[in-house]
Amino acid sequence: MTKTPKGDDFAASAAIRLKRLGARYRRRRGELDAIIGASKLNEECGVFGVIGTPDAAALTALGLHALQHRGQEAAGIASFDGHHFHNERHLGLVSDNFSDAATLHRLKGSAAIGHTRYSTQGDTVLRNVQPMYADLDRGGIAVAHNGNLTNARKLKSELVQRGCIFQSTSDSELFLQLTARSHQLSMVDRLIDCLKQVEGAFALVVLTKDALIGVRDPVGIRPLILGDLNGSAILASESCALDLIGAKFVRDIRPGEVVICRANGEVESRQVFPPHSPARPCIFELIYFARPNSIVDGKSVYQLRKKLGMRLATEAPCEADMVSPIPDSGVPAAIGFAQASGLPFEQALIRSHFVGRTFIEPE
């Protein structure tokens, strides 16, 4: 049996793997807008975090690559080595910036968080790239955010009038500013105090000197899951990030829940906001955005898309010679429609697989 490399060997192995995966990914970019047009949707990013392993940065880089479909503008990783925080943020793809073993070695520590950016607010410039970091009186804090705050403009205006200085134009910086101004004693309680002031969609991974923290908004608009790798807790936007590194899926983070993960493997749960019934997850995640091999809110993305196609055949039957999908997200739905209607499934449109998701490329 081949042993999994550790420490420096694992970082070097991860770097080599990212170079190979990145080359494959770059070959798949460039022509998709010729098929579906260059639509610009603005609400997605990918987040990942792990604690309790010496390979935290390398695992985070691999996890972010698995979430690359959620954001192609920029990527960043922050780590903590027990004494100091380290932060690397770059414009471009994960594999373009974290496939060098020297870069991963600079991100020392047994805990790390990462972010792939697809901007909701703020220009595509380095100061808006996450994770965002700040030194507070209770220690450092790094934040990676997927979502969009609907009261960001109001909050920022109030904070600027009180003398706060913002270093970015991203709404995500509000989590740092509001946490810094809280009068609560612990960093977790300060973060919770912050969460009670924001409105909108947010799935967060937060790194402090003591813990890795995961947060999901009260109605569960953005996805966030808990995983495990040999006793090390993992947080990620989608389960496909766990598959790439050989981790196991534990459960979804509940809407309104805060989970505090420790280096010793302990995971504490706090239901900060009362559960909303029913939850209101973004339907776009299941219809289009999430990878088909992911599990989102307990549902197989592939199977749900297939069932939607079957439902469509029942509700809107039609006379046709065949069923053909708009590749690739439409394939499972077309299969379901074909099976339910008895029509043949044919690939009338062939998408080049040397193409990526150009609709999320920056202007």
Side-chain angles (χ1 to χ4, degrees):
M1 181 179 294
T2 303
K3 293 183 178 180
T4 302
K6 298 294 183 181
D8 292 349
D9 291 338
F10 185 84
S13 174
I16 293 171
R17 190 176 183 189
L18 282 167
K19 286 180 181 178
R20 184 177 70 252
L21 292 170
R24 183 188 308 167
Y25 188 90
R26 285 191 296 273
R27 289 196 303 268
R28 295 177 176 179
R29 301 178 65 190
E31 300 171 357
L32 186 58
D33 55 349
I35 299 174
I36 65 171
S39 60
K40 299 296 292 182
L41 297 169
N42 294 302
E43 293 196 358
E44 308 293 340
C45 294
V47 296
F48 185 94
V50 61
I51 189 169
T53 170
D55 304 314
L59 289 168
T60 300
L62 290 169
L64 289 180
H65 178 80
L67 299 171
Q68 187 75 84
H69 61 287
R70 301 187 66 87
Q72 298 174 178
E73 295 183 11
I77 296 175
S79 67
F80 181 65
D81 63 9
H83 301 283
H84 304 286
F85 282 83
H86 309 274
N87 201 2
E88 290 270 349
R89 301 182 298 164
H90 301 278
L91 300 177
L93 301 176
V94 177
S95 58
D96 289 340
N97 296 293
F98 294 97
S99 58
D100 180 11
T103 301
L104 297 177
H105 287 152
R106 288 197 298 270
L107 293 163
K108 302 174 183 178
S110 61
I113 64 172
H115 185 271
T116 57
R117 174 177 166 81
Y118 176 40
S119 61
T120 61
Q121 296 195 18
D123 298 329
T124 306
V125 292
L126 192 58
R127 64 176 177 159
N128 288 333
V129 180
Q130 299 182 46
M132 293 186 171
Y133 174 80
D135 278 311
L136 309 185
D137 62 332
R138 297 285 177 178
I141 180 173
V143 174
H145 168 218
N146 170 31
N148 191 23
L149 301 182
T150 56
N151 65 337
R153 182 175 297 181
K154 175 177 178 290
L155 288 174
K156 185 173 182 178
S157 176
E158 292 173 354
L159 290 171
V160 169
Q161 291 177 17
R162 296 174 188 171
C164 290
I165 299 173
F166 281 77
Q167 301 296 323
S168 74
T169 58
S170 169
D171 60 349
S172 303
E173 190 178 351
L174 284 166
F175 292 105
L176 294 179
Q177 297 280 0
L178 293 171
T179 301
R181 292 181 62 84
S182 173
H183 298 296
Q184 298 295 321
L185 296 179
S186 73
M187 192 70 83
V188 173
D189 289 335
R190 285 185 171 197
L191 177 63
I192 291 173
D193 188 28
C194 157
L195 298 175
K196 293 178 179 178
Q197 300 175 64
V198 298
E199 299 172 0
F202 52 89
L204 303 177
V205 291
V206 180
L207 185 61
T208 71
K209 62 184 180 65
D210 300 314
L212 169 69
I213 305 168
V215 180
R216 197 172 180 195
D217 66 70
V219 296
I221 299 174
R222 293 283 158 252
L224 190 65
I225 63 168
L226 176 66
D228 179 270
L229 180 64
N230 301 322
S232 298
I234 295 173
L235 297 168
S237 294
E238 294 182 38
S239 62
C240 61
L242 306 179
D243 300 334
L244 185 61
I245 60 174
K248 67 177 182 180
F249 173 82
V250 176
R251 65 176 178 88
D252 291 289
I253 304 302
R254 294 184 296 272
E257 182 184 14
V258 174
V259 292
I260 303 102
C261 308
R262 309 288 181 182
N264 61 4
E266 292 181 0
V267 178
E268 176 189 352
S269 171
R270 298 190 193 181
Q271 192 65 44
V272 175
F273 300 96
H276 190 281
S277 183
R280 298 175 183 174
C282 176
I283 192 62
F284 188 61
E285 292 279 355
L286 292 168
I287 292 175
Y288 181 79
F289 211 86
R291 275 176 51 168
N293 60 322
S294 282
I295 305 295
V296 176
D297 288 322
K299 301 178 180 66
S300 164
V301 175
Y302 176 86
Q303 291 297 332
L304 185 132
R305 290 175 184 171
K306 187 176 177 181
K307 289 180 180 178
L308 287 174
M310 299 176 75
R311 180 71 175 268
L312 181 62
T314 302
E315 294 185 356
C318 64
E319 294 184 7
D321 298 319
M322 63 180 182
V323 180
S324 179
I326 302 296
D328 280 322
S329 296
V331 171
I335 292 173
F337 192 102
Q339 290 180 353
S341 64
L343 293 169
F345 174 89
E346 298 290 347
Q347 290 275 55
L349 297 174
I350 305 298
R351 181 172 83 84
S352 169
H353 283 90
F354 296 99
V355 171
R357 309 184 106 176
T358 56
F359 89 96
I360 61 172
E361 289 181 349
E363 296 286 1

